[in-house]
Amino acid sequence: MVLARTGDSQGAHDGLPRTLGIETSCDETAVAMLDGEGRIEVNLLSSQVAAHAPYGGVVPELASREHLKALPWLMERVLAEARGMPKLVAVTAGPGLIGSLLVGVRFASAYSWALQTPLVAVDHLEGHLLSPFLDLEGRPARPVPDRVLALVASGGHSSWFRLQAGAASRLSRTRDDAAGESFDKVAQVLGLGYPGGPQIDRLARSGDPGAVALPRPRLKDSRIDFSFSGLKSAAVRWIRDQRLEGAGETRPGPAVADLAASFEAAVVDQLLAPLEELIVLHRPDLVTASGGVAANTLLRDRLRAAGEALSVEVLLPPRSLTTDNAAMIAHAGQLAASRGIGHDGRRLDAWASSSWQPPGMRKVSSARRVG
Ligand code: KG4
Ligand code: ZN
C-alpha cells in the first residue's frame, strides 16, 4: 500500500486535488471535502447507532438501507458548505460490509461520472493509517515522514504497520478478535450497549485497573501478533460469576467500573506489548495510532508516555477522527491520485476482505514505490 510521497516530511502538501470523500464501509455514513493541501473543509457523518441499537450489533441489510437514505442529503450539505467543487472523488471500496460498500461505491461512481471527475478507490485501513496526519484546526495535512510505526486498532482490525518510503506493510495482526470487537463484546454482556468501547472507557476512569486479574496471553510462535479472545472470555466469565450480566442497564456499580478498568488495561497492555521491540527494530521518526480504539483514554496516555520514555514523537488523531470518517478517505484518495492512481467507476467493485491488495500494495519484502 503506497501512502505518500517521500522526502517531503518538512513542507506542507500542495497541489493535491480538492477531494470529496465518501465512507460507507460499516455503520457510519460519512462525506467530507478536503482542499488542495489536505485541509478539512467539511467533515460530516450520520451515525446509524440508533438504528442498530435494538439488535445489539450492526445488521448488514439495515446498514445498507441507512446509507442509501443518508448519502444524498449528506452530499448536498457537504457541497453547500465546501468552498468549491471537487476535482476528485475518493470512496472506500473495502474492506467492510459488502452491501454497505456497494452503496458508497456506486454512488461515488455515478457522481464522478456525472461531474466527469476522476475517481479513486481507497482501502479503509489506508484511510485510518493516514488519519493522524489530518488536522481539525484548519491547518493543512501533515506530510508522512519517511519512517512511521502505526497502530491500527478498530472494531475490525488490530495491527502494527510500518510506513516506510511511502509504502505500508503489516508487521503484526490479531489472530482472533479485533481489540474493538472485544471491547464491544464485554460491554454487551454488561448491558452497556453498542459500541461498547466508549462506555468502557468512561466507566474505567473511576475503576481500579488492578482489581480483576485478567490474562495477557502471548502467542507461542510470535512476540508481536495479538490475541484477544482469551482475555475477552476471561472477562465475560468473571462478569457471569459475579452475576453482573446486564448490570450496566441500570446504574453500574464500582464492581463494573473495576472490571472496565481492568479489561481496558489488559487490552492496552496487549496492544503496546510489542512497541518497544518494534521501535528498536524499525527506528521510526514517528509513532501513530488510529482506528476507533485509538480514542481510548488509557491507550492515548500510555502511548504518549512510551513516546517520551523512548524519545520518539507520538502523533494521535483528534478523537473524532479515530473512528470512521470520510476525511481520512478523501486524504488517502488525494495522495493516491497524486501518484497517478485512479479507477474506472464503471468497473469498480467493492471488496469485502482485508486480504485484497489495493493498487500499489506490496508485501514487506518487496515494499517499493510505484507510480
Ligand atoms: O474505526 P471504527 O470506527 O470502525 C471500524 O473500522 O471498526 O472503530 C470502532 C471501534 C468499536 O469497536 C468501538 O467500541 C471502538 O472502536 N472504540 C473504542 C473507543 N471508542 C471507540 N474502544 C475503546 N475506547 C474508546 N474510547
Ligand atoms: Zn474503521
Side-chain angles (χ1 to χ4, degrees):
M1 189 194 296
V2 177
L3 294 161
R5 291 163 298 159
T6 56
D8 56 0
S9 51
Q10 297 309 314
H13 292 293
D14 53 10
L16 295 174
R18 166 188 291 280
T19 303
L20 179 83
I22 296 179
E23 154 65 41
T24 62
S25 67
C26 192
D27 59 342
E28 319 272 20
T29 319
V31 183
M33 187 82 82
L34 263 58
D35 76 4
E37 290 183 283
R39 191 182 279 109
I40 299 176
E41 275 183 11
V42 196
N43 186 30
L44 298 184
L45 186 143
S46 167
S47 172
Q48 303 181 1
V49 165
H52 297 285
Y55 308 97
V58 178
V59 183
E61 177 61 21
L62 199 56
S64 312
R65 292 176 191 208
E66 293 293 315
H67 289 307
L68 264 179
K69 274 195 259 170
L71 261 181
W73 65 261
L74 274 175
M75 278 281 288
E76 224 170 273
R77 273 193 54 184
V78 168
L79 292 172
E81 288 178 32
R83 286 186 214 115
M85 293 297 279
K87 297 270 187 302
L88 175 75
V89 178
V91 62
T92 308
L97 301 172
I98 203 77
S100 294
L101 288 164
L102 277 171
V103 173
V105 163
R106 296 270 55 87
F107 199 91
S109 301
Y111 183 75
S112 75
W113 183 82
L115 237 65
Q116 291 296 295
T117 304
L119 176 74
V120 63
V122 170
D123 186 282
H124 184 78
L125 276 176
E126 193 172 348
H128 276 307
L129 280 167
L130 290 166
S131 62
F133 300 92
L134 292 173
D135 181 78
L136 283 180
E137 312 296 323
R139 285 180 289 259
R142 179 173 157 168
V144 182
D146 274 349
R147 284 184 310 207
V148 180
L149 205 52
L151 173 68
V152 180
S154 69
H157 307 276
S158 308
S159 285
W160 279 99
F161 286 85
R162 180 179 63 166
L163 318 184
Q164 185 153 23
S169 46
R170 196 195 301 263
L171 302 172
S172 73
R173 64 173 71 235
T174 175
R175 298 284 180 89
D176 37 59
D177 300 335
E181 203 178 349
S182 66
F183 270 110
D184 293 337
K185 177 67 187 178
V186 168
Q188 186 196 7
V189 177
L190 284 170
L192 292 170
Y194 176 87
Q199 305 298 336
I200 296 214
D201 188 340
R202 188 177 50 79
L203 285 166
R205 306 282 64 78
S206 59
D208 172 5
V212 184
L214 293 171
R216 273 100 167 133
R218 301 293 338 146
L219 297 157
K220 285 198 184 73
D221 60 340
S222 168
R223 290 206 307 274
I224 55 171
D225 276 0
F226 307 118
S227 166
F228 292 103
S229 74
L231 167 57
K232 177 191 73 181
S233 304
V236 169
R237 255 195 320 275
W238 187 90
I239 295 166
R240 295 200 169 127
D241 288 350
Q242 303 294 314
R243 302 189 185 285
L244 286 172
E245 284 161 283
E249 280 161 16
T250 49
R251 183 178 296 179
V256 174
D258 283 348
L259 187 271
S262 303
F263 179 72
E264 179 192 72
V267 172
V268 172
D269 278 349
Q270 294 286 85
L271 288 171
L272 298 189
L275 179 61
E276 192 166 346
E277 182 173 340
L278 291 175
I279 288 179
V280 170
L281 208 61
H282 299 287
R283 287 177 287 111
D285 304 312
L286 191 65
V287 173
T288 66
S290 58
V293 179
N296 182 265
T297 308
L298 182 68
L299 180 64
R300 294 172 80 88
D301 290 350
R302 290 269 310 272
L303 263 170
R304 288 197 187 102
E308 270 180 34
L310 299 165
S311 305
V312 184
E313 187 187 354
V314 170
L315 182 67
L316 302 172
R319 274 199 162 92
S320 65
L321 292 180
T322 57
T323 44
D324 291 349
N325 64 86
M328 68 184 192
I329 301 303
H331 192 45
Q334 61 186 176
L335 292 178
S338 72
R339 299 186 311 270
I341 293 173
H343 294 91
D344 181 348
R346 293 166 305 181
R347 292 192 187 86
L348 181 61
D349 227 330
W351 60 86
S353 143
S354 58
S355 63
W356 193 90
Q357 307 266 299
M361 199 186 230
R362 294 286 181 273
K363 291 237 166 57
V364 88
S365 53
S366 62
R368 65 189 163 92
R369 296 183 70 199
V370 295

